[in-house]
Amino acid sequence: MATTRFSPFELLLLKSRNQTDTAALLLLTWVAASKGSLSETDRQRLADMSASMRHGHDCQAILDIGARQDLDAVQLAAEVLQKDRWGTQASPFLRQAIEIAVTEGKLAAATNHILRFLADLLGTSPPQFAQLYLEVIGKPFESPEDPSREAYWQAREHARQQQRSQSEQRQREQQSHHRQRHSQEGTGGSRQGSGRPHGDKTLRALAILGLDAGATRSEIKKAYRRLAQTHHPDRFFALGERDVASASMRFQKIQKAYEYLMQDARSL
């Protein structure tokens, strides 16, 4: 006798106390993951949203499926949600989707398209959705960039060249500042006992902490605390071993840069 095999999301739906809420949480996770990855901020926001839902099970399994952007699960969730959240019933869900779409402060092109898809799925017209977006975010809902247009790539290339020019300018300024600093040290300047020959290493350590040459001890401490908190491996535990390993390497670089700079940082 053949055994029917269900996908992980189908099993969640079968066990759910409210399939519509289960489908809604899956689609909200899909929105968050479309930005590139499921950040810790997004996970916490989704967990908060899940707490007010009636599905009756741990939300972690849904978040894991949504983070993988399983399109079969997304399609099934869309079908379930459409039955119960059509028309005037769509607004609360779409508000949540908008909130989770812009947690990083801007709307990615892929996420823009997904929001449009969800609005259309639930019978919300473009003008209605644009008004809803304006109410939630306080900014107009703009059209996504079109990669098929030449102007799109020209703008990207211009931005890339501008960023490269600014980076080169900053590097020249740092090198100039560094040469002046060592020149002062060589003639008995105010920085005693510094005499460190490895200027490139100092610049690399500053760059890791996102600081400019001449940063004070207080600035170095503040930058270290901020980056250490953001990149601590414990924050990436739920994302898997690869993310934890990557975060550990980044955290070690931050820590080494901090220790190196504190040996030679000038006082306030």
Side-chain angles (χ1 to χ4, degrees):
M1 182 177 177
T3 303
T4 302
R5 294 191 177 184
F6 295 100
S7 69
F9 184 62
E10 286 174 327
L11 289 173
L12 285 174
L13 284 176
L14 289 173
K15 298 176 183 178
S16 176
R17 294 178 183 173
N18 188 293
Q19 293 187 346
T20 302
D21 280 354
T22 299
L25 184 59
L26 188 283
L27 292 174
L28 291 172
T29 307
W30 179 46
V31 171
S34 71
K35 294 181 288 186
S37 63
L38 202 58
S39 68
E40 192 62 31
T41 300
D42 288 332
R43 286 181 176 273
Q44 185 59 54
R45 177 69 68 85
L46 289 164
D48 292 341
M49 291 178 175
S50 175
S52 64
M53 294 180 177
R54 300 162 295 172
H55 47 65
H57 45 235
D58 183 11
C59 71
Q60 188 58 52
I62 302 178
L63 299 189
D64 291 341
I65 296 171
R68 295 195 299 269
Q69 300 191 58
D70 184 333
L71 294 184
D72 288 335
V74 167
Q75 181 179 359
L76 179 55
E79 293 172 357
V80 172
L81 191 69
Q82 188 182 43
K83 294 178 182 178
D84 193 42
R85 299 288 173 87
W86 175 266
T88 58
Q89 303 299 317
S91 181
F93 168 78
L94 291 176
R95 284 180 176 273
Q96 290 180 314
I98 293 169
E99 290 174 3
I100 204 71
V102 293
T103 52
E104 305 302 326
K106 65 178 183 178
L107 185 60
T111 313
N112 189 307
H113 286 293
I114 288 176
L115 289 179
R116 291 171 184 272
F117 162 77
L118 291 173
D120 182 66
L121 174 77
L122 300 178
T124 302
S125 69
Q128 289 174 326
F129 183 77
Q131 179 60 36
L132 186 64
Y133 186 92
L134 181 63
E135 292 174 4
V136 176
I137 303 302
K139 296 180 180 179
F141 182 57
E142 300 178 350
S143 298
E145 295 178 306
D146 184 0
S148 67
R149 297 178 59 192
E150 183 179 359
Y152 170 84
W153 295 104
Q154 288 177 343
R156 284 176 63 93
E157 178 62 18
H158 176 73
R160 187 187 67 81
Q161 291 179 357
Q162 196 171 39
Q163 185 178 16
R164 180 172 157 186
S165 176
Q166 292 173 351
S167 177
E168 291 174 350
Q169 178 64 24
R170 284 195 299 269
Q171 188 175 9
R172 287 193 295 267
E173 291 175 354
Q174 288 178 349
Q175 290 174 348
S176 175
H177 183 89
H178 181 72
R179 285 194 296 268
Q180 292 176 6
R181 181 170 148 193
H182 275 271
S183 176
Q184 291 174 355
E185 291 171 356
T187 56
S190 61
R191 295 213 41 193
Q192 298 178 356
S194 174
R196 191 181 297 279
H198 306 296
D200 290 342
K201 186 174 181 180
T202 299
L203 292 176
R204 286 196 297 271
L206 286 166
I208 289 172
L209 296 186
L211 297 170
D212 295 327
T216 65
R217 180 180 294 269
S218 176
E219 290 169 342
I220 292 171
K221 287 182 177 180
K222 288 179 180 178
Y224 170 72
R225 285 196 295 268
R226 174 174 53 82
L227 291 173
Q229 184 179 24
T230 302
H231 297 283
H232 197 283
D234 290 348
R235 294 175 59 88
F236 297 82
F237 180 77
L239 300 180
E241 294 182 2
R242 180 179 298 179
D243 291 281
V244 172
S246 177
S248 296
M249 293 177 63
R250 176 64 177 166
F251 183 75
Q252 289 175 10
K253 288 182 180 180
I254 293 169
Q255 197 163 30
K256 288 180 180 179
Y258 169 73
E259 292 172 353
Y260 175 80
L261 291 171
M262 288 302 289
Q263 295 174 12
D264 195 38
R266 61 186 176 87
S267 301
L268 284 169

